Amino acid sequence: MLPVLDLLAKLALVVLLVVALAYPDLSNLKAKGAGLRLVVYPLGALAVPIWWWLRGRRRAGRTFPWAADLLVTLPWLSDLLGNRLNLFDTVTWWDDVSHFAHWLLLTAGVLLAWHPDRRTGGGVVVMVGLGFGATAAVVWELGEYAAFLRTLPTYAFVYPDTLGDLTLGTSGSLLAGLLVATWRRLRTWPDAP
């Protein structure tokens, strides 16, 4: 079931990217760094398969980490869908929930795909998740600033939003680290997720 869900998520992402490219006004990405998203989102959604192929894991007899790949793909899909449905501009809390949920999903996927050695303690897993998530949240906010925030007429009001986004993204990453560390403790850690 996970492979089907993962492939459907990737297909939906491709469809939304094609729509954004063909009909930019319908995607609600105008003045929101659409060009950058058209490059970064496919790369983000392909990070796990590319890593899997380059590392030769498929030859080592391990199964592909479908759950991790789905978790890493969902934030990109959710962001595009949220923009397509104009949720970021019409639902006041959508941006905040998205930052928290997207970093939770992305960090959990990264921790499952690139898990530390099974002997690594839960505290280290939480710290790796927090370190990845906080760094990724900062890189994301810098990308938003470079792509479109600095050109907004409401630029003076963007700083508090950025601080909130960083806090929510980091909090989502912390929760992902705690969940993955707990999951590891509750079950036998497999060689491949």
Side-chain angles (χ1 to χ4, degrees), residues 16-114:
L16 288 171
L17 287 167
V18 169
V19 168
L21 188 60
Y23 307 101
D25 291 338
L26 291 177
S27 66
N28 295 313
L29 289 176
K30 201 170 197 173
K32 291 184 179 179
L36 193 56
R37 290 173 196 252
L38 291 173
V39 173
V40 172
Y41 286 24
L43 291 175
L46 291 173
V48 173
I50 290 170
W51 165 79
W52 189 257
W53 185 75
L54 290 176
R55 296 282 299 162
R57 299 284 185 188
R58 56 191 163 83
R59 290 187 293 264
R62 296 183 180 156
T63 60
F64 184 78
W66 292 105
D69 192 38
L70 178 61
L71 289 169
V72 169
T73 300
L74 286 175
W76 312 109
L77 173 62
S78 172
D79 183 77
L80 280 178
L81 190 58
N83 275 294
R84 174 68 181 91
L85 298 174
N86 203 26
L87 298 175
F88 286 97
D89 295 327
T90 59
V91 179
T92 57
W93 48 265
W94 186 259
D95 183 62
D96 292 339
V97 169
S98 292
H99 276 275
F100 182 82
H102 291 166
W103 295 119
L104 186 148
L105 293 168
L106 185 63
T107 302
V110 165
L111 288 173
L112 290 176
W114 292 280

Side-chain angles (χ1 to χ4, degrees), residues 6-7 37 62 166:
D6 188 29
L7 295 173
R37 290 173 196 252
R62 296 183 180 156
L166 290 171

Side-chain angles (χ1 to χ4, degrees), residues 123-143:
V124 173
V125 172
V126 172
M127 293 307 293
V128 168
L130 187 57
F132 165 79
T135 302
V138 168
V139 169
W140 178 264
E141 291 301 320
L142 289 172

Side-chain angles (χ1 to χ4, degrees), residues 155-178:
Y155 174 70
F157 303 106
V158 171
Y159 185 66
D161 179 65
T162 299
L163 290 177
D165 292 349
L166 290 171
T167 301
L168 290 165
T170 302
S171 298
S173 297
L174 176 60
L175 181 57
L178 291 168

